[in-house]
Amino acid sequence: MTDPDTTATPAFGIPRIEVEPEDTPPFGIPAVSVPVHLTRDADDETSVIQDTPLTDDDPVVEAIALPHEPELARPARAARFVASAFILLTAAVGALSAWQAWRSYWLVRDFYSAIPTVTNEQLQTATDRSTWLSYGWMAGVALSGVAFIVWLWRARINAARVCDAPHRLRIRWSVLSWFIPIGNLWLPQMVLGDVWRASRPDTPARGGNLRKVRAGKLIGVWWALFLLTHAVDLAAVNLIKDDSSVQTFERVFFANAASGGLAVLSALAILVVMRRVDRWQADRELIR
């Protein structure tokens, strides 16, 4: 940058300063020259900026054009946290139900033994505890289902805003897919699968084809575990309706143990899926 030239005749005693911009802008960012005319009010000692005609002697101020910061997607973290909490609580209730089924099995076995030591109060307590755990399981499934659908709805909207590739199902199917008889055996995982594909960092934002994007195997694992969990749970309920023999309680115990284990694995799988989708979407730029 050249030295300022102060040889011009000052106006009102204020010297004029002419600054010539450098040939190469700093940091490779283009500079925009903005002329500013400094004058002095006759009744004031302060220099002010006025909209007056500019001359060649007016100083030039360089304004650097700042780079544009893209707007990123906002994942539904709050919905994910709520859904994750309910899913974990439901899995914990499933594990407790398996433990209670084991306790009930041994109580019934003792009751039908040659010399029973269990009392009617113990049997009634075990029955009440099993009933409350069943209610807790059903409430947990309902609450975690609602919370997960809210998260899936938000994630589906974000997926459409970061990638314009068409999905197999529209946004409303994030909710409807769970309530279609028979169709709810595969439609929900289709919605989540497309959200996974559209949110991946290697999926192009424009002109992509989700069918050509690699599917997430973890979603298939979660969906299989989810269906098996509820299938085994329904089987256990039907078993206890038939009779109350020792063999029936033994089968119920094994069914509940399997259901509880599958519920825990299913919960862990979907928590990983939700966290990964949110992390991917947080790094994607909105295109609409």
Side-chain angles (χ1 to χ4, degrees):
M1 181 178 294
T2 60
D3 296 333
D5 182 10
T6 59
T7 59
T9 302
F12 303 104
I14 301 177
R16 296 184 180 274
I17 301 176
E18 295 183 358
V19 181
E20 296 181 2
E22 296 179 351
D23 295 335
T24 304
F27 308 108
I29 302 177
V32 180
S33 297
V34 180
V36 177
H37 192 192
L38 298 177
T39 62
R40 167 176 287 185
D41 194 337
D43 299 331
D44 193 359
E45 296 295 332
T46 305
S47 298
V48 296
I49 299 177
Q50 297 182 354
D51 186 12
T52 57
L54 302 178
T55 64
D56 295 337
D57 296 332
D58 291 323
V60 176
V61 178
E62 293 185 358
I64 299 177
L66 298 177
H68 172 68
E69 294 185 2
E71 184 180 0
L72 301 179
R74 295 181 179 180
R77 289 193 176 94
R80 174 167 64 90
F81 291 153
V82 174
S84 300
F86 281 127
I87 290 172
L88 289 175
L89 287 175
T90 304
V93 172
L96 288 175
S97 298
W99 173 81
Q100 183 57 45
W102 175 78
R103 290 279 301 166
S104 299
Y105 162 66
W106 283 103
L107 288 175
V108 172
R109 183 174 179 176
D110 182 271
F111 182 80
Y112 285 105
S113 64
I115 305 176
T117 59
V118 64
T119 63
N120 291 330
E121 289 77 9
Q122 289 176 315
L123 289 175
Q124 186 62 42
T125 300
T127 301
D128 294 340
R129 191 177 297 165
S130 299
T131 301
W132 282 109
L133 286 174
S134 298
Y135 289 152
W137 168 260
M138 290 186 292
V141 170
L143 292 174
S144 60
V146 171
F148 178 76
I149 290 174
V150 172
W151 174 84
L152 183 59
W153 173 275
R154 295 284 305 278
R156 174 63 177 83
I157 293 176
N158 280 338
R161 299 188 67 191
V162 301
C163 177
D164 64 356
H167 292 232
R168 288 174 289 181
L169 297 173
R170 295 183 178 273
I171 294 178
R172 59 176 173 266
W173 285 98
S174 303
V175 178
L176 296 179
S177 61
W178 297 89
F179 302 99
I180 304 299
I182 302 178
N184 55 11
L185 296 177
W186 71 85
L187 291 178
Q189 61 88 23
M190 287 178 59
V191 177
L192 183 57
D194 285 348
V195 170
W196 173 283
R197 292 182 175 94
S199 303
R200 288 177 60 93
D202 55 353
T203 303
R206 300 185 183 277
N209 186 353
L210 297 184
R211 295 181 181 272
K212 296 181 180 180
V213 180
R214 184 177 58 184
K217 295 181 180 179
L218 188 58
I219 295 179
V221 172
W222 161 71
W223 190 244
L225 292 172
F226 178 80
L227 294 180
L228 283 174
T229 299
H230 293 284
V232 174
D233 190 59
L234 289 176
V237 173
N238 291 327
L239 283 174
I240 202 65
K241 288 182 178 180
D242 295 338
D243 60 81
S244 301
S245 63
V246 177
Q247 291 76 15
T248 299
F249 273 90
E250 184 179 8
R251 289 193 292 267
V252 169
F253 158 65
F254 285 115
N256 282 339
S259 176
L262 291 171
V264 172
L265 294 177
S266 175
L268 295 177
I270 194 58
L271 291 183
V272 173
V273 170
M274 295 167 66
R275 183 177 182 276
R276 190 168 298 178
V277 169
D278 276 359
R279 188 177 71 248
W280 284 343
Q281 291 185 351
D283 296 333
R284 296 292 299 268
E285 180 181 353
L286 294 178
I287 62 173
R288 55 185 175 184

